[in-house]
Amino acid sequence: MRATLFDKLWDQHVVTSREDGLDLLWIDRHFLHEGSHHAFAKLAARNMKPARPDLSFAVADHYVPTRHRAEGIADATIKRMVDQLSTNTATNGIRLFGMNDPRQGIVHVLGPEQGLTLPGLSIVCGDSHTSTHGAFGALAFGIGASDVAHVLMTQTLWQKRPKRMRLTVNVHLAPGIAAKDLALAVIARIGADGAQGCALEFAGSAIRALSMEGRLTLCNMGVEAGARSALVAPDAVTLAYVTGRPFAPTGEALERAATAWARLISDDDAVFDREVTMNASEIAPIVTWGISPEDALPVTAALPDPTREANAGKAAHIIAALDYMGLRAGQPVSEIMVDRVFIGSCTNSRIEDLRAAAAVLAGRKSRVPGLVSPGSSLVKQQAEQEGLNQIFTEAGLEWADSGCSMCVAMNGDGLAPGERCASTTNRNFKGRQGVGSRTHLMSPAMVAAAAVMGHLADVRPLLEGRV
Amino acid sequence: MQEFVRLTAAAVPLPYANIDTDQLIPARFMSRPRSQGYGDFLLHDRRKEAGFQLDDPAYRGAAIAVARRNFGGGSSREAAVYALVDAGIRCVIAPSFGDIFAANAANNGLLAARVTEDAAEDLLARLLASPSEVTVDLQSCLIDGHTQFEVEPVARIKLLRGWEDIDLTLSHADAIAAFTRADGERRPWAVPVTRAF
Ligand code: SF4
């Protein structure tokens, strides 16, 4: 007893422990993408092969084009990155969901969709948003290239047990308020480093009421609060999602799994290093205005004024952020005009996200150009069956293929210097969506509202009579 | 990996919070092999800003950088550490670091030294007023002999000895084999179903 969900997961994966406090963890799933080339180079330098190629899965997502795929990849560098992944995975006997695979998608969308992500697993990937998979009650965290190489060589990783933090969100989110709003409200509250060094468990009635899609969005953003991993205890919603997925257990194995998963909860008397409680009903639609996800405010608010900030470091940050974003202190958030919109990324590109945006856009026109990139080729297919693509294109937005796209601007999709984008992604860092790009993070419905209005806008009036 | 025990070197002040890994190395440079060197990409897009300290001749040859909170937050890209190391930086001093960044740093011989916000502000003020050398001692965890800093104990040992994990791990092959045998009984559902391919 007295164990947190996190400790239960951790303890099940400890192979051995070292005197200095490091545990050697067994890794159940390892995801790779084009960026893994540094790790494959390390493997080759040691003349080694993967210890368990059957537990690694690769996907082409970061660099793949989202338009005209059938014509191949025109840009030589991008082509080399995508081809290199094919070569590296083929040489090492690792399964690849390549660019033209019908199941291709963003790694953090594909894993859950294929049933590779399950409760109770340890999951790593050379990508910080691996925290996403914690939505299933899995021990999931991002790692760097040296550690990716270590996992390839040994299927294990030396780790120090992080601290445990629990964020309890009571009551329920109001209509029109999404998991993304909750995530941004959390980060605004605790800071972009608020959960550093911690495994962050989300609990409470507002979390239980979230769909898997919502939980994935929330855990995805956990890393933007600095968390090492994010977690939601598995429940009936989780089991229903997992059941029937291609790589998920079936029959007796599934029954045994479900019994084990039911135990994956924090005990009533479990002790956390830090606890924070929030009330979901107080959360309004949130947008970011600055260059860190913690620079987040309700859309109804006004921008901060550095002269009113006592802390010198914070005041300097506000000045730098306003300057970079081309905004002025005290300006109402809803006056911020946008040049472009983007709906996509591992944060908000699942079917529910596309439905939420389409609900706002149906029968309306976007005042600005924009791109909609579904999280996976299967999400794309489903959205087309539901006719969502038509709503987007009739609104004037471009309906593209699946990939990281404008989230990280590695594949050629991006903003021009100074352009301002309402985006469903997870990072508003300087230059994230291209050199000099200006990003405002928000939910898919809020991005749709910004498209319809041409400026950052409260989506709630636009939803009247629609939901 | 090069070991880190004690370093006396010029230090560059970077008086900014949230210097994330996208700033440390913009994504568009990450397709290059490491062998080409990543030093020129360090903070590439910020170096164009007027007054940005990294290229100020007063701080030339700095092997230590001092910054405000949440240094290296964001993406897991180890290339952010490669850029620092290849540009000659061996130690970053800041009030807090991104977790993955800190782990990557230790794997590449870079010390991420955590100090209080006040200590960081003092050091920044001093360096901005007059460029000078700073001494970082990983044995005593002291900066200039008086300011305490923190570093994960395991990162400290790794840095002091210049260790790489892999050799140690391979010596645990028996324990790993025993774990997988027992785990197969305990969690038969944990292996991916292969009928899917
Ligand atoms: S969509 Fe963005 S955050 Fe997600 S994996 Fe791709 S680049 Fe990373």
Side-chain angles (χ1 to χ4, degrees):
Chain A
M1 286 299 108
R2 287 177 66 88
T4 66
L5 160 59
F6 179 79
D7 288 298
K8 292 180 186 180
L9 285 168
W10 186 277
D11 291 341
Q12 287 175 11
H13 291 91
V14 175
V15 174
T16 182
S17 302
R18 221 157 78 183
E19 276 174 21
D20 60 14
L22 281 197
D23 292 329
L24 187 65
L25 295 184
W26 176 254
I27 303 302
D28 292 314
R29 293 288 185 280
H30 182 207
F31 293 118
L32 297 148
H33 54 82
E34 301 98 307
S36 310
H37 66 100
H38 286 296
F40 280 114
K42 284 173 194 277
L43 196 68
R46 276 191 174 252
N47 216 355
M48 284 180 72
K49 287 279 174 200
R52 289 293 302 269
D54 57 321
L55 300 180
S56 281
F57 295 85
V59 53
D61 58 359
H62 280 66
Y63 286 84
V64 292
T66 50
R67 266 73 62 87
H68 316 298
R69 251 181 214 173
E71 294 159 28
I73 306 175
D75 183 289
T77 307
I78 291 174
K79 182 170 176 357
R80 181 168 54 77
M81 291 301 288
V82 175
D83 288 349
Q84 191 169 285
L85 180 68
S86 306
T87 316
N88 280 329
T89 49
T91 314
N92 290 289
I94 291 168
R95 283 174 171 164
L96 168 69
F97 298 92
M99 182 171 81
N100 294 313
D101 190 300
R103 295 158 295 186
Q104 178 271 347
I106 303 171
V107 58
H108 310 308
V109 177
L110 178 144
E113 194 171 73
Q114 288 299 318
L116 288 164
T117 301
L118 300 173
L121 299 184
S122 57
I123 302 173
V124 298
C125 172
D127 190 283
S128 55
H129 290 100
T130 308
S131 63
T132 311
H133 306 260
F136 286 79
L139 170 61
F141 53 93
I143 54 178
S146 296
D147 285 344
V148 170
H150 190 278
V151 173
L152 283 172
M153 291 184 236
T154 67
Q155 202 59 31
T156 63
L157 209 50
W158 293 101
Q159 289 287 301
K160 186 181 153 235
R161 192 184 294 248
K163 294 198 179 107
R164 305 81 162 160
M165 177 167 170
R166 179 163 61 187
L167 203 136
T168 306
V169 191
N170 295 317
V171 205
H172 288 94
L173 292 169
I177 311 296
K180 183 65 160 288
D181 298 302
L182 173 57
L184 290 171
V186 166
I187 299 163
R189 162 92 177 262
I190 68 174
D193 53 0
Q196 246 164 31
C198 295
L200 175 61
E201 179 178 345
F202 293 102
S205 52
I207 308 299
R208 296 263 72 87
L210 288 176
S211 64
M212 268 333 288
E213 282 91 343
R215 295 176 190 186
L216 286 158
T217 300
L218 191 60
C219 289
N220 177 275
M221 293 297 286
V223 71
E224 303 310 326
R228 191 85 184 88
S229 351
L231 279 173
V232 174
D235 58 12
V237 175
T238 323
L239 186 60
Y241 183 99
V242 164
T243 305
R245 302 271 161 188
F247 287 88
T250 52
E252 202 199 338
L254 180 61
E255 277 166 38
R256 272 188 76 175
T259 310
W261 296 343
R263 289 187 216 111
L264 293 175
I265 47 163
S266 287
D267 295 329
D268 288 340
D269 51 357
V271 181
F272 289 81
D273 296 283
R274 189 174 168 207
E275 295 244 33
V276 177
T277 305
M278 288 175 65
N279 182 337
S281 65
E282 290 163 6
I283 294 169
I286 311 246
V287 302
T288 64
W289 58 270
I291 52 173
S292 163
E294 71 186 14
D295 302 334
L297 283 172
V299 67
T300 47
L303 297 184
D305 183 346
T307 60
R308 298 196 184 170
E309 177 56 62
N311 179 304
K314 276 190 194 151
H317 175 78
I318 294 171
I319 293 169
L322 290 173
D323 178 56
Y324 181 83
M325 295 298 287
L327 300 169
R328 25 167 247 285
Q331 186 177 357
V333 169
S334 60
E335 278 181 11
I336 299 172
M337 308 295 290
V338 299
D339 302 311
R340 205 167 273 276
V341 297
F342 177 65
I343 297 170
S345 89
C346 57
T347 312
N348 278 130
S349 61
R350 298 175 184 84
I351 191 68
E352 203 175 82
D353 300 314
L354 301 184
R355 287 180 192 142
V360 178
L361 284 163
R364 293 178 171 139
K365 294 278 177 218
S366 174
R367 288 179 194 248
V368 294
L371 188 66
V372 185
S373 174
S376 73
S377 305
L378 291 175
V379 169
K380 185 176 190 214
Q381 213 178 71
Q382 185 173 350
E384 288 175 355
Q385 275 162 14
E386 295 180 18
L388 304 182
N389 58 320
Q390 227 164 329
I391 294 176
F392 294 125
T393 49
E394 279 169 17
L397 302 179
E398 205 174 342
W399 177 244
D401 284 325
S402 155
C404 293
S405 182
M406 269 174 66
C407 173
V408 71
M410 281 171 165
N411 75 333
D413 299 345
L415 298 176
E419 261 193 322
R420 185 184 301 286
C421 183
S423 181
T424 64
T425 53
N426 43 48
R427 287 186 174 140
N428 52 347
F429 296 164
K430 285 184 173 182
R432 172 78 175 184
Q433 294 190 294
V435 183
S437 58
R438 292 165 170 160
T439 306
H440 295 274
L441 306 175
M442 62 199 79
S443 75
M446 283 289 287
V447 167
V452 168
M453 304 300 289
H455 56 83
L456 303 189
D458 193 333
V459 69
R460 289 172 293 187
L462 294 172
L463 284 171
E464 266 166 38
R466 292 196 174 211
V467 282
Chain B
M1 194 176 86
Q2 201 186 344
E3 48 182 58
F4 188 116
V5 182
R6 183 187 165 92
L7 173 69
T8 297
V12 57
L14 300 171
Y16 315 96
N18 297 316
I19 299 183
D20 53 69
T21 53
D22 275 81
Q23 291 179 47
L24 286 169
I25 179 161
R28 63 187 184 280
F29 300 121
M30 289 176 5
S31 56
R32 324 241 173 141
R34 171 77 185 279
S35 52
Q36 290 181 7
Y38 271 51
D40 288 345
F41 308 140
L42 176 64
L43 288 160
H44 185 278
D45 295 342
R46 296 215 54 186
R47 287 161 96 148
K48 295 175 195 144
E49 292 173 18
F52 195 69
Q53 292 79 4
L54 200 62
D55 291 321
D56 186 334
Y59 305 109
R60 184 171 293 144
I64 297 169
V66 185
R68 291 196 166 118
R69 57 175 270 268
N70 199 25
F71 187 92
S75 141
S76 64
R77 58 186 73 167
E78 196 161 301
V81 173
Y82 302 160
L84 284 159
V85 170
D86 291 357
I89 304 288
R90 298 287 326 275
C91 170
V92 182
I93 300 170
S96 61
F97 292 92
D99 283 338
I100 309 177
F101 175 86
N104 292 340
N107 282 334
N108 288 277
L110 176 76
L111 169 61
R114 268 200 319 275
V115 294
T116 61
E117 298 235 2
D118 288 345
E121 291 302 327
D122 286 350
L123 206 48
L124 284 170
R126 186 186 111 196
L127 292 167
L128 288 166
S130 68
S132 59
E133 289 196 330
V134 169
T135 296
V136 181
D137 189 322
L138 188 53
Q139 297 280 10
S140 61
C141 289
L142 287 178
I143 296 166
D144 292 334
H146 51 74
T147 304
Q148 191 80 40
F149 68 84
E150 283 182 45
V151 55
E152 286 302 336
V154 282
R156 180 167 171 272
I157 294 171
K158 228 183 238 189
L159 287 161
L160 284 171
R161 299 186 188 162
W163 257 1
E164 283 196 53
D165 286 336
I166 182 71
D167 300 308
L168 179 77
T169 314
L170 293 172
S171 74
H172 286 284
D174 289 349
I176 297 172
F179 177 91
T180 50
R181 266 196 308 278
D183 193 52
E185 303 274 312
R186 198 164 51 94
R187 298 186 309 150
W189 46 268
V191 286
V193 171
T194 44
R195 69 183 148 74
F197 262 84

Coordinates of all heavy atoms in Angstrom, one line a residue, chain A residues 180-181 184 221 286-288 325 338-349 368-371 404-409 414-415 419-429 432-433 437-451 456:
Chain A
K180 N -7.0 20.9 -24.1 CA -5.9 21.8 -24.4 C -6.0 23.1 -23.5 O -5.0 23.6 -23.0 CB -6.0 22.2 -25.8 CG -4.9 23.2 -26.3 CD -3.5 22.5 -26.3 CE -2.5 23.1 -27.2 NZ -2.7 22.9 -28.6
D181 N -7.2 23.5 -23.3 CA -7.4 24.7 -22.4 C -7.0 24.3 -21.0 O -6.3 25.1 -20.3 CB -8.9 25.1 -22.4 CG -9.4 25.6 -23.7 OD1 -8.8 26.5 -24.3 OD2 -10.3 25.0 -24.3
L184 N -3.1 24.2 -20.9 CA -2.5 25.5 -20.8 C -2.8 26.2 -19.5 O -1.9 26.9 -19.0 CB -3.0 26.4 -22.0 CG -2.5 25.9 -23.4 CD1 -3.3 26.7 -24.5 CD2 -1.0 26.1 -23.5
M221 N 1.0 17.6 -23.3 CA 1.4 18.9 -22.8 C 2.1 18.9 -21.4 O 2.6 19.9 -21.0 CB 0.2 19.9 -22.7 CG -0.4 20.2 -24.1 SD 0.7 21.2 -25.2 CE 0.7 22.8 -24.4
I286 N -8.2 29.2 -23.4 CA -6.9 29.8 -23.1 C -6.1 29.9 -24.4 O -6.1 29.0 -25.2 CB -6.1 29.0 -22.1 CG1 -7.0 28.7 -20.9 CG2 -4.8 29.7 -21.7 CD1 -6.7 29.3 -19.6
V287 N -5.3 30.9 -24.5 CA -4.3 31.1 -25.6 C -3.0 31.5 -25.0 O -2.9 32.0 -24.0 CB -4.8 32.1 -26.7 CG1 -6.1 31.8 -27.3 CG2 -4.8 33.5 -26.1
T288 N -1.9 31.2 -25.8 CA -0.6 31.7 -25.3 C -0.4 33.0 -26.1 O -0.8 33.2 -27.3 CB 0.5 30.8 -25.6 OG1 0.7 30.5 -27.0 CG2 0.3 29.4 -24.9
M325 N 7.0 38.8 -30.2 CA 5.6 38.6 -30.8 C 5.0 39.8 -31.5 O 3.9 39.7 -32.1 CB 4.7 38.1 -29.7 CG 5.1 36.7 -29.1 SD 5.1 35.3 -30.3 CE 3.3 35.1 -30.5
V338 N -4.5 37.4 -36.8 CA -3.6 36.2 -37.2 C -3.5 36.2 -38.7 O -4.3 36.7 -39.4 CB -4.1 34.9 -36.7 CG1 -4.2 34.8 -35.2 CG2 -5.5 34.6 -37.3
D339 N -2.4 35.7 -39.2 CA -2.1 35.6 -40.6 C -2.5 34.2 -41.2 O -2.6 34.0 -42.4 CB -0.6 35.8 -40.9 CG -0.2 37.2 -40.4 OD1 -0.8 38.2 -40.7 OD2 0.9 37.2 -39.7
R340 N -2.5 33.2 -40.3 CA -2.6 31.8 -40.7 C -3.0 31.0 -39.6 O -2.9 31.3 -38.4 CB -1.1 31.4 -41.1 CG -0.9 30.3 -42.0 CD 0.5 30.3 -42.5 NE 0.8 31.2 -43.6 CZ 0.5 30.9 -44.9 NH1 0.1 29.7 -45.2 NH2 0.8 31.7 -45.9
V341 N -3.6 29.8 -39.9 CA -3.9 28.8 -38.8 C -3.4 27.5 -39.2 O -3.2 27.1 -40.3 CB -5.5 28.7 -38.6 CG1 -6.1 30.1 -38.2 CG2 -6.2 28.2 -39.9
F342 N -3.1 26.7 -38.1 CA -2.7 25.3 -38.3 C -3.4 24.4 -37.3 O -3.4 24.7 -36.1 CB -1.2 25.2 -38.1 CG -0.6 23.8 -38.2 CD1 -0.7 23.1 -39.4 CD2 -0.1 23.2 -37.1 CE1 -0.3 21.8 -39.5 CE2 0.4 21.8 -37.2 CZ 0.3 21.2 -38.4
I343 N -3.9 23.3 -37.9 CA -4.6 22.3 -37.0 C -3.8 21.0 -37.3 O -3.8 20.5 -38.4 CB -6.1 22.1 -37.4 CG1 -6.8 23.4 -37.0 CG2 -6.7 21.0 -36.6 CD1 -8.2 23.5 -37.6
G344 N -3.1 20.5 -36.3 CA -2.4 19.3 -36.4 C -1.5 19.1 -35.2 O -1.7 19.6 -34.1
S345 N -0.5 18.2 -35.3 CA 0.5 17.9 -34.3 C 0.1 16.8 -33.4 O -1.1 16.5 -33.3 CB 1.0 19.1 -33.5 OG 0.2 19.2 -32.4
C346 N 1.0 16.2 -32.7 CA 0.7 15.1 -31.8 C -0.2 15.6 -30.6 O -0.7 14.8 -29.9 CB 1.9 14.4 -31.3 SG 3.1 15.5 -30.4
T347 N -0.3 16.9 -30.4 CA -1.2 17.4 -29.4 C -2.7 17.3 -29.7 O -3.5 16.9 -29.0 CB -0.8 18.9 -29.1 OG1 0.6 19.0 -29.0 CG2 -1.5 19.3 -27.8
N348 N -3.0 17.7 -31.0 CA -4.4 17.9 -31.3 C -4.7 17.6 -32.8 O -5.0 18.5 -33.6 CB -4.7 19.4 -31.1 CG -5.1 19.8 -29.7 OD1 -4.5 20.7 -29.2 ND2 -6.0 19.0 -29.1
S349 N -4.5 16.3 -33.2 CA -4.7 16.0 -34.6 C -5.5 14.7 -34.7 O -5.6 14.1 -35.7 CB -3.4 15.8 -35.3 OG -2.7 14.8 -34.7
V368 N -8.4 33.7 -43.1 CA -6.9 33.5 -43.3 C -6.6 32.2 -43.9 O -7.4 31.2 -43.7 CB -6.1 33.7 -42.0 CG1 -6.2 35.2 -41.5 CG2 -6.5 32.7 -41.0
P369 N -5.5 32.0 -44.6 CA -5.1 30.7 -45.1 C -4.7 29.8 -43.9 O -4.4 30.2 -42.9 CB -4.0 30.9 -46.0 CG -3.4 32.2 -45.6 CD -4.5 33.0 -45.0
G370 N -4.8 28.5 -44.2 CA -4.4 27.6 -43.1 C -4.3 26.1 -43.6 O -4.7 25.8 -44.7
L371 N -3.7 25.3 -42.7 CA -3.5 23.9 -43.1 C -4.0 23.0 -42.0 O -3.9 23.3 -40.8 CB -1.9 23.8 -43.1 CG -1.3 22.5 -43.6 CD1 -1.7 22.3 -45.1 CD2 0.2 22.5 -43.4
C404 N 4.4 15.7 -38.8 CA 4.6 16.7 -37.8 C 4.4 18.1 -38.4 O 4.0 19.1 -37.7 CB 6.1 16.6 -37.2 SG 6.3 15.1 -36.3
S405 N 4.7 18.2 -39.7 CA 4.3 19.4 -40.5 C 4.7 20.7 -39.8 O 5.9 20.9 -39.3 CB 2.8 19.4 -40.8 OG 2.4 20.5 -41.5
M406 N 3.8 21.6 -39.6 CA 4.1 23.0 -39.1 C 4.4 23.0 -37.6 O 4.7 24.1 -37.1 CB 2.9 23.9 -39.5 CG 3.1 24.6 -40.8 SD 1.7 25.6 -41.3 CE 1.8 26.9 -40.0
C407 N 4.3 21.9 -36.9 CA 4.6 21.9 -35.5 C 6.0 22.2 -35.3 O 6.4 22.9 -34.4 CB 4.3 20.5 -34.9 SG 4.8 20.4 -33.2
V408 N 6.9 21.7 -36.2 CA 8.3 21.9 -36.0 C 9.0 22.4 -37.3 O 10.2 22.7 -37.3 CB 8.9 20.5 -35.5 CG1 8.9 19.5 -36.6 CG2 10.3 20.7 -34.9
A409 N 8.2 22.5 -38.4 CA 8.7 23.1 -39.6 C 10.0 22.5 -40.2 O 10.8 23.1 -40.7 CB 8.9 24.6 -39.4
G414 N 5.8 25.7 -43.0 CA 6.2 26.6 -42.0 C 5.7 28.0 -42.2 O 5.0 28.3 -43.2
L415 N 6.1 28.9 -41.3 CA 5.7 30.3 -41.4 C 6.8 31.1 -42.0 O 8.0 30.8 -41.8 CB 5.3 30.8 -40.1 CG 4.1 30.2 -39.3 CD1 4.0 30.8 -37.9 CD2 2.8 30.3 -40.1
E419 N 5.3 36.1 -39.5 CA 3.9 35.7 -39.6 C 3.4 35.1 -38.3 O 4.1 34.5 -37.5 CB 3.9 34.5 -40.7 CG 3.4 35.0 -42.0 CD 3.0 33.9 -43.0 OE1 3.7 32.8 -43.0 OE2 2.1 34.0 -43.7
R420 N 2.1 35.4 -38.1 CA 1.5 35.0 -36.8 C 0.4 33.9 -37.1 O -0.4 34.0 -38.0 CB 0.8 36.2 -36.3 CG 0.1 36.1 -34.9 CD -0.6 37.3 -34.5 NE 0.3 38.5 -34.5 CZ 1.2 38.8 -33.6 NH1 1.3 37.9 -32.5 NH2 1.9 39.8 -33.6
C421 N 0.5 32.8 -36.3 CA -0.3 31.6 -36.5 C -1.0 31.2 -35.3 O -0.5 31.1 -34.2 CB 0.6 30.5 -37.0 SG -0.2 29.0 -37.4
A422 N -2.3 31.0 -35.4 CA -3.1 30.3 -34.4 C -2.9 28.8 -34.6 O -3.2 28.3 -35.7 CB -4.6 30.7 -34.5
S423 N -2.4 28.1 -33.6 CA -1.9 26.8 -33.9 C -2.3 25.8 -32.7 O -2.3 26.2 -31.6 CB -0.4 26.8 -33.9 OG 0.1 25.6 -34.2
T424 N -2.7 24.6 -33.1 CA -3.0 23.6 -32.1 C -1.8 22.8 -31.6 O -2.0 21.8 -30.9 CB -4.0 22.5 -32.7 OG1 -3.3 21.8 -33.7 CG2 -5.3 23.2 -33.2
T425 N -0.6 23.3 -31.9 CA 0.6 22.6 -31.5 C 0.9 22.8 -30.0 O 0.1 23.3 -29.2 CB 1.8 23.1 -32.4 OG1 1.8 24.5 -32.3 CG2 1.5 22.6 -33.8
N426 N 2.1 22.4 -29.6 CA 2.5 22.4 -28.2 C 3.6 23.4 -27.8 O 3.9 23.6 -26.7 CB 2.9 21.0 -27.8 CG 3.8 20.4 -28.9 OD1 4.7 21.0 -29.3 ND2 3.5 19.2 -29.3
R427 N 4.2 24.0 -28.8 CA 5.4 24.9 -28.5 C 5.3 26.2 -29.2 O 5.2 26.2 -30.5 CB 6.7 24.2 -28.8 CG 7.0 23.2 -27.7 CD 8.3 22.5 -27.8 NE 8.5 21.7 -26.7 CZ 9.1 20.4 -26.7 NH1 9.6 20.0 -27.9 NH2 9.1 19.7 -25.6
N428 N 5.3 27.3 -28.5 CA 5.3 28.6 -29.1 C 6.7 29.2 -29.0 O 6.9 30.4 -28.9 CB 4.3 29.5 -28.4 CG 4.5 29.5 -26.9 OD1 5.2 28.7 -26.3 ND2 3.9 30.4 -26.2
F429 N 7.8 28.4 -29.0 CA 9.1 28.9 -28.8 C 9.5 29.8 -30.0 O 9.0 29.6 -31.1 CB 10.1 27.7 -28.8 CG 10.0 26.7 -27.7 CD1 10.5 25.5 -27.7 CD2 9.3 27.1 -26.5 CE1 10.4 24.6 -26.7 CE2 9.2 26.2 -25.5 CZ 9.8 25.0 -25.5
R432 N 10.0 28.3 -33.7 CA 9.6 26.9 -33.7 C 8.9 26.6 -35.1 O 9.1 25.5 -35.6 CB 8.6 26.6 -32.6 CG 7.9 25.3 -32.6 CD 8.8 24.2 -32.1 NE 8.1 22.9 -32.1 CZ 8.7 21.8 -31.6 NH1 9.9 21.7 -31.2 NH2 8.0 20.7 -31.6
Q433 N 8.1 27.5 -35.5 CA 7.4 27.2 -36.8 C 8.0 27.8 -38.0 O 7.4 28.1 -39.0 CB 5.9 27.7 -36.7 CG 5.1 26.8 -35.7 CD 3.6 27.1 -35.7 OE1 3.2 28.2 -35.4 NE2 2.8 26.2 -36.2
S437 N 9.0 33.1 -36.7 CA 7.6 32.7 -36.7 C 7.0 33.1 -35.3 O 7.7 33.1 -34.3 CB 7.4 31.2 -36.9 OG 8.1 30.5 -35.9
R438 N 5.7 33.5 -35.3 CA 5.0 33.8 -34.1 C 3.8 32.9 -33.9 O 2.9 32.9 -34.7 CB 4.5 35.3 -34.2 CG 5.6 36.3 -34.2 CD 5.1 37.6 -34.6 NE 6.2 38.6 -34.4 CZ 6.2 39.8 -35.0 NH1 5.2 40.1 -35.9 NH2 7.1 40.7 -34.8
T439 N 3.9 32.1 -32.8 CA 2.9 31.1 -32.6 C 2.0 31.4 -31.4 O 2.5 31.7 -30.3 CB 3.6 29.7 -32.4 OG1 4.5 29.5 -33.4 CG2 2.6 28.6 -32.2
H440 N 0.7 31.2 -31.6 CA -0.2 31.3 -30.5 C -0.9 29.9 -30.3 O -1.5 29.4 -31.2 CB -1.3 32.3 -30.7 CG -0.8 33.7 -30.8 ND1 -0.6 34.5 -29.6 CD2 -0.4 34.5 -31.8 CE1 -0.2 35.7 -30.0 NE2 0.0 35.7 -31.3
L441 N -0.6 29.3 -29.2 CA -1.2 27.9 -28.9 C -2.6 28.0 -28.4 O -2.9 28.9 -27.6 CB -0.3 27.2 -27.9 CG 1.2 27.1 -28.1 CD1 1.9 26.5 -26.9 CD2 1.5 26.3 -29.4
M442 N -3.4 27.0 -28.8 CA -4.8 27.0 -28.4 C -5.4 25.7 -28.8 O -4.8 24.9 -29.5 CB -5.6 28.2 -28.8 CG -5.7 28.3 -30.3 SD -6.1 30.0 -30.9 CE -4.6 30.8 -30.8
S443 N -6.7 25.5 -28.4 CA -7.4 24.2 -28.8 C -7.8 24.3 -30.2 O -7.9 25.3 -30.9 CB -8.6 24.1 -27.9 OG -9.6 25.0 -28.3
P444 N -8.2 23.1 -30.8 CA -8.7 23.1 -32.2 C -9.9 24.0 -32.4 O -10.0 24.7 -33.4 CB -9.0 21.6 -32.4 CG -8.2 20.9 -31.5 CD -8.0 21.7 -30.2
A445 N -10.8 24.0 -31.5 CA -12.0 24.8 -31.6 C -11.6 26.3 -31.6 O -12.2 27.1 -32.4 CB -13.0 24.5 -30.5
M446 N -10.6 26.6 -30.8 CA -10.2 28.0 -30.7 C -9.4 28.5 -32.0 O -9.5 29.6 -32.4 CB -9.3 28.2 -29.5 CG -10.1 28.3 -28.2 SD -11.1 29.9 -28.1 CE -9.7 31.0 -27.7
V447 N -8.7 27.5 -32.6 CA -8.0 27.8 -33.8 C -9.1 28.1 -34.9 O -9.0 29.0 -35.7 CB -7.1 26.7 -34.2 CG1 -6.6 26.9 -35.7 CG2 -5.8 26.7 -33.3
A448 N -10.1 27.3 -34.9 CA -11.2 27.4 -35.9 C -11.8 28.8 -35.7 O -12.2 29.5 -36.6 CB -12.2 26.3 -35.7
A449 N -12.0 29.2 -34.4 CA -12.6 30.5 -34.1 C -11.7 31.6 -34.7 O -12.2 32.6 -35.3 CB -12.8 30.7 -32.6
A450 N -10.4 31.5 -34.5 CA -9.5 32.5 -35.0 C -9.5 32.6 -36.5 O -9.4 33.7 -37.1 CB -8.0 32.2 -34.5
A451 N -9.7 31.4 -37.1 CA -9.8 31.4 -38.6 C -11.1 32.2 -39.1 O -11.0 33.0 -39.9 CB -9.9 29.9 -39.1
L456 N -7.6 36.4 -32.7 CA -7.9 35.5 -31.5 C -9.2 35.8 -31.0 O -9.6 36.9 -30.8 CB -6.8 35.6 -30.5 CG -5.3 35.4 -31.0 CD1 -4.4 35.4 -29.8 CD2 -5.2 34.1 -31.8

